[in-house]
Amino acid sequence: MSSSHDRPDLYDRVHAAAAVVRARIGGRAPQVGLILGSGLGGFADRLEDAVAIDYAELPGFPVSRVHGHAGRLVVGRRGGAMCVAMKGRVHLYEGHGAVEVAFPARVLVALGARVLLVTNAAGGLRPEWSPGTLMLIRDHIDLLRDHALRGPNDERLGPRFPDMTTAYAPGLRALVKEVAAAQGVALEEGVYVAMPGPTYETPAEVRMLQGLGADATGMSTVPEVVVARHMGARVIGVSCITNKAAGITGEPLSHDEVTETATRVRATFEGLLDGILVALVGRGELAEGPR
Ligand code: HPA
């Protein structure tokens, strides 16, 4: 699986796209990258003093055609943090390679984001979790059939063999749990498994994923987290469990159910994101210095 990006000049492509963004955002210096999943893109519209740029205007950005995944980058302030938000993302199932899917996340880090906050909609593998449950991602399992670091490695971006022991920063997970507790928001924690899609899983696959130790299943996130870690940013991941995974209730799954649940918990989810941003600023997690 090759894409236009798995060439040695990936570094130059990332920085070329970042330069186009910089030229549009004045003196704003992004500190936090936000990747907003299904039904959560509205958070980008809450950024203050914002500049929005369509992905189509950014060189190298893959453009999504999936309903509910509008594609634009929004740079603005929220909770005292300068944010660069991806409103919509592309997925492997749309036909893009993982290198390409992860390209925008590289640009967020190149723009200066020291923390990448990734959200997604996911199916719950724990039968006791009802739709609407929020899950902090502790770790992931990559079952995608393509890898975001496949191809030549450019040491200017990061190492050939990145460590993934703390892919989801333990200190930031503690911070998110404290914020959720202070807000009275129930927050589970668990392992996210990435599946290629676009079919939802079969019940047999769901039993396999439960056996592997996963708690939530989805079709995104892992490529972006991998490149953020490759480039040295710290990662927070939060899943909205929009449905019980296939076979748990026996009812068929639908994209409508996914977006309806995401919409229903949107205010809670956005409040949590706000609290996280305030805490990141308040605790100096976005300060300059070595990563
Ligand atoms: N499986 C995979 N991806 C998903 C699901 C699911 O059940 N729900 C939302 N995204």
Side-chain angles (χ1 to χ4, degrees), residues 2 14 31 34 60 67 71 99 111 156 199 201 220 238-239 249:
S2 70
V14 168
Q31 302 167 292
L34 299 172
H67 179 68
V99 173
L111 284 167
R156 291 173 295 176
T199 52
E201 295 74 21
S220 67
V238 185
S239 294
T249 67

Side-chain angles (χ1 to χ4, degrees), residues 121-124 200-201 217-219 242-246 253 258:
Y200 293 111
E201 295 74 21
T217 175
M219 306 174 194
T242 52
N243 56 281
K244 297 194 187 206
L253 272 50
V258 168

